Amino acid sequence: MAETTRDTGPETGQRSQQRWQVVPAPVQPPPRGAHRLDLRTTIAIDLGRLAATMSRRLGLGSGAMIGGRLALALQPQALRRLALGRRVVMVTGTNGKTTTTRMVAEALRSRAPAVSNATGANMLDGHVAALMTRPGAPFAALEVDELHLAQVTEQFEPAVILLLNLSRDQLDRVGEIRTVAESLRRALARAPGAHVIANRDDPNIVFAAADHPGVTWISGGARWKGDALNCPRCGAFLGDADGDWRCGCGLSRPEADWTVTADAAVAADGTRYELDLALPGQVNRVNATFALAAAERLGCDHGAAVQRIQQISQAAGRYGTVRLAGRAVRLLLAKNPASWLEMLDLVSAEQHPLVLVVNSREADGYDVSWLWDVDFELLGGRPVRLAGDRALDLAVRLHYAGVPATVSATVDDALAGTEDGVPDIIANYTAFRDLVARSRS
């Protein structure tokens, strides 16, 4: 394990005095019992586990955050210590993190035990909480918030980093996309030994990863193009990101190592891996290809990895069929224009009753002006029911899209007014979270 001093970056020309440790990924999983923790870390983990257990027993939550938060308070180096000796896959991007992380975890389990922050607690306390569930597990698949990847690589160097996509999301919290892309670029600069698996069809991701020494590029197409029209490096107009674009500043679309088709993932050597997924849509075939590429990098058998990925039917409630208000419904999450585009495309091919739910609480972002960037015209005049804190704002947007909408006071009222069949509910973050919680109570 090497302790290193890093430059703060070319923009400063100075050397930072901050010292951090590179935790290289082992070639093979460590032998059982090889992971040893110091006394302070052990005590912090034990007390964190106790806090998590009490939180669950008292019905205060899953314990996925409080346990990790307490452990970090008692041992600020807990994340670094728990990551030592493991091969950790970090998954980040605006959309698809939770589902892809679930896929990566299942693929890794085809070879050896793996832990994961399955509840979506994607900041440092959630990572600690996940890692301390099984300190001896050789693999970990961890979802990380886009703006927190830099904090992770300050602590340790993951084995693999997945960069899925970047699009506008919660501008009042996250800020502009170029800010996020620059943060990802700095995070990767601190992890030169990590292998990056990145989306070649997103210019913002290409900007973040292009200078990294080890990158596998995934091509699945670019459906949402509203945030990819200009070069993230110099601002010049790029045009269609689906084409082989090249900017005058030198940034260009890389050659694909994996290509996603309508039913398969195709490796650079032409090998096809059929993806008969339980999860619907092209977006999940792209997610699965990222997971498969990560599993290959870490020595998993392709066939076994694909088999486990194909068995996933939901991820933290996403795409799951549950019971609400006495009837079966399918829950879909959409939290920004890019993810709404994917979910609307999914439901527009079907004719199930449809309920849309939008809130604007702190975790959603208070600004809902993004509703006007969503192509609700995809619904083609199909009647829908609306609920949520911002149902009236959504009703105005749908009026201009030519979509007949009825506003309901609650989701239960909306469901009561729908036709027979299994309704689809598309909800943004807090609305979705509350519906999942209700379905499990």
Side-chain angles (χ1 to χ4, degrees):
M1 180 172 62
E3 190 172 66
T4 311
T5 302
R6 290 285 178 185
D7 289 342
T8 55
E11 64 275 14
T12 66
Q14 300 175 348
R15 292 187 68 82
S16 168
Q17 296 305 308
Q18 180 181 9
R19 301 185 71 81
W20 55 277
Q21 291 175 305
V22 174
V23 182
V27 176
Q28 295 293 331
R32 188 177 300 276
H35 194 83
R36 293 289 183 264
L37 298 172
D38 61 276
L39 180 59
R40 181 176 180 179
T41 304
T42 300
I43 293 173
I45 289 173
D46 288 343
L47 292 176
R49 285 173 172 167
L50 178 61
T53 299
M54 293 301 296
S55 176
R56 290 191 294 270
R57 288 183 177 177
L58 294 173
L60 300 176
S62 67
M65 293 181 63
I66 187 62
R69 190 167 297 172
L70 177 59
L72 275 173
L74 298 173
Q75 168 52 290
Q77 303 300 318
L79 180 58
R80 179 180 300 175
R81 303 291 173 84
L82 285 165
L84 182 64
R86 302 183 199 244
R87 287 180 290 181
V88 180
V89 179
M90 305 300 302
V91 181
T92 196
T94 306
N95 298 308
K97 294 187 293 292
T98 300
T99 302
T100 305
T101 301
R102 172 74 188 279
M103 290 176 169
V104 172
E106 288 302 317
L108 294 177
R109 287 170 184 146
S110 70
R111 184 179 182 200
V115 295
S116 181
N117 51 342
T119 62
N122 60 14
M123 299 181 191
L124 300 192
D125 45 13
H127 302 152
V128 170
L131 292 173
M132 71 187 189
T133 59
R134 294 189 67 177
F139 289 130
L142 300 177
E143 172 186 338
V144 59
D145 179 83
E146 306 92 278
L147 289 178
H148 287 76
L149 182 63
Q151 293 184 21
V152 169
T153 57
E154 285 178 352
Q155 295 291 319
F156 73 96
E157 185 172 71
V160 181
I161 299 173
L162 273 56
L163 303 183
L164 303 179
N165 49 68
L166 286 180
S167 66
R168 70 192 70 171
D169 185 46
Q170 299 184 32
L171 293 180
D172 49 356
R173 179 183 76 86
V174 176
E176 294 291 342
I177 292 173
R178 291 190 187 181
T179 302
V180 181
E182 181 61 36
S183 176
L184 293 179
R185 190 184 68 83
R186 291 195 301 269
L188 297 185
R190 296 192 183 105
H195 188 80
V196 176
I197 300 174
N199 182 355
R200 77 147 184 166
D201 298 317
D202 186 333
N204 296 292
I205 292 295
V206 174
F207 165 73
D211 295 331
H212 194 274
V215 184
T216 293
W217 295 103
I218 307 293
S219 183
R223 286 185 50 76
W224 172 254
K225 303 172 185 178
D227 299 306
L229 298 177
N230 297 87
C231 175
R233 179 182 287 170
C234 71
F237 181 68
L238 293 178
D240 190 350
D242 269 341
D244 288 325
W245 53 268
R246 177 177 294 276
C247 183
C249 71
L251 193 68
S252 62
R253 188 190 197 200
E255 291 294 323
D257 297 299
W258 289 79
T259 302
V260 187
T261 71
D263 55 7
V266 183
D269 62 2
T271 304
R272 288 174 56 88
Y273 300 96
E274 301 298 325
L275 297 176
D276 184 17
L277 302 180
L279 294 175
Q282 174 73 4
V283 63
N284 281 311
R285 286 189 287 275
V286 174
N287 293 339
T289 302
F290 271 90
L292 186 58
E296 178 192 56
R297 184 71 189 177
L298 295 180
C300 298
D301 175 75
H302 283 105
V306 169
Q307 184 177 20
R308 292 188 72 103
I309 290 171
Q310 290 181 157
Q311 292 172 354
I312 299 171
S313 59
Q314 62 88 24
R318 293 154 176 81
Y319 307 100
T321 300
V322 301
R323 292 199 68 80
L324 287 172
R327 63 189 299 185
V329 302
R330 182 172 65 164
L331 294 181
L332 304 170
L333 172 67
K335 54 186 180 178
N336 51 51
S339 57
W340 274 92
L341 177 63
E342 295 292 350
M343 294 304 103
L344 290 174
D345 183 64
L346 179 64
V347 301
S348 64
E350 305 166 348
Q351 290 301 316
H352 297 177
L354 184 59
V355 177
L356 309 181
V357 191
V358 174
N359 289 341
S360 62
R361 302 172 192 174
E362 182 177 5
D364 305 302
Y366 298 118
D367 181 5
V368 294
S369 60
W370 55 266
L371 287 171
W372 293 90
D373 296 325
V374 179
D375 187 11
F376 286 106
E377 286 77 5
L378 284 170
L379 294 175
R382 175 181 173 184
V384 299
R385 298 240 166 201
L386 311 179
D389 301 343
R390 304 305 288 265
L392 292 176
D393 297 81
L394 181 55
V396 173
R397 172 67 186 96
L398 291 176
H399 171 75
Y400 284 96
V403 177
T406 302
V407 175
S408 300
T410 67
V411 173
D412 287 5
D413 290 341
L415 289 172
T418 60
E419 303 170 356
D420 293 338
V422 177
D424 285 326
I425 300 179
I426 306 178
N428 73 336
Y429 181 72
T430 61
F432 179 87
R433 178 195 63 194
D434 294 346
L435 292 173
V436 170
R438 275 189 55 198
S439 72
R440 293 173 177 172
S441 62

